[in-house]
Amino acid sequence: MFVLRLLGTLSLQCETGTVPPEALQKRRLGLIALLAIEGERGISRDRLQSYLWPESSSSKSRHALDQLIYATRRSLGTDPFVSAGGELGLDPAMIHTDIETFDSAFRGKNWAVAVAAYGGSLVDGFHFSASRELESLIDRERNRLEQQYHKALETLAHDAAAAGDHVGSTAWWKKLAASDRLSARVALETVKALDAAGDRVGAIQH
């Protein structure tokens, strides 16, 4: 089983050993990441071609994708893909992702688990291709995950305050403020939480 981390710096790890260096080649890792971002929906080969080789002809991009799929399988020593009806996806029995962990926890309202799974912005610093369509897809997914992360943090903060744990509430608000730096509302709530926790100096400084 491989573990793919997309929240924060993109990385691929193996639970039973080391990942072959050739599997970490940018284009191969990018293909796995892109399929992981789309999740169970999978992606048609045509869309993958347009995402990864936006300026190439259909025949050239089709050949390049076939070669990339083959090289990725060979470098991993196993087949991480599932294919059905022209759609390509990841085999969940072979690769687990932190997005899966985050989404499952968020749907189940396991807010602390969701927060722990969120390691940062989606594929932070990783560039896939010059495709504007792909860039828009990544931005939409990045924003969705970030907004849900913020909701989880705010819920934890409110729950802690309701339980009388003002120190804990402050910690969650400060974590949210560090992520959502431009929100005046979050800044004000953090100040209120600090004051409720008896840290008036910290409230003033914030």
Side-chain angles (χ1 to χ4, degrees):
M1 169 71 80
F2 292 92
V3 178
L4 182 67
R5 302 192 186 284
L6 302 106
L7 297 171
T9 302
L10 179 62
S11 69
L12 181 65
Q13 299 171 335
C14 180
E15 291 184 333
T16 58
T18 58
V19 178
E22 57 269 25
L24 301 178
Q25 189 264 348
K26 182 178 178 181
R27 185 72 79 173
R28 296 169 193 173
L29 189 57
L31 172 62
I32 294 172
L34 183 52
L35 293 172
I37 290 169
E38 283 286 21
E40 296 178 356
R41 296 183 296 271
I43 310 178
S44 71
R45 288 174 176 262
D46 288 343
R47 281 180 61 206
L48 279 170
Q49 290 166 210
S50 67
Y51 282 162
L52 298 176
W53 298 277
E55 298 177 359
S56 295
S57 67
S58 177
S59 60
K60 286 184 177 180
S61 61
R62 186 183 308 114
H63 177 70
L65 178 59
D66 288 342
Q67 290 294 101
L68 179 58
I69 292 171
Y70 171 78
T72 304
R73 284 172 173 152
R74 185 173 181 179
S75 63
L76 287 174
T78 188
D79 187 359
F81 306 117
V82 290
S83 182
E87 302 284 316
L88 191 69
L90 286 183
D91 184 349
M94 294 302 303
I95 297 183
H96 180 74
T97 75
D98 53 359
I99 291 180
E100 291 177 272
T101 301
F102 177 88
D103 282 339
S104 176
F106 189 86
R107 288 193 300 269
K109 298 184 179 181
N110 296 318
W111 310 117
V113 174
V115 166
Y118 189 88
S121 295
L122 180 66
V123 290
D124 191 25
F126 189 88
H127 179 69
F128 287 87
S129 73
S131 167
R132 291 186 178 180
E133 185 183 3
L134 176 55
E135 204 171 285
S136 295
L137 168 69
I138 300 298
D139 284 343
R140 286 196 303 272
E141 190 67 4
R142 181 179 289 131
N143 290 336
R144 175 188 74 82
L145 290 162
E146 185 178 65
Q147 288 171 10
Q148 290 180 340
Y149 171 62
H150 290 171
K151 178 179 178 179
L153 283 171
E154 185 163 347
T155 302
L156 287 166
H158 284 307
D159 287 351
D165 181 9
H166 296 295
V167 173
S169 178
T170 297
W172 294 123
W173 279 117
K174 288 175 73 174
K175 197 172 182 68
L176 177 54
S179 178
D180 194 2
R181 295 178 180 275
L182 298 181
S183 172
R185 182 186 66 82
V186 171
L188 180 58
E189 291 294 343
T190 305
V191 169
K192 290 179 179 178
L194 284 161
D195 184 54
D199 186 0
R200 295 201 170 187
V201 173
I204 293 170
Q205 289 176 340
H206 191 82

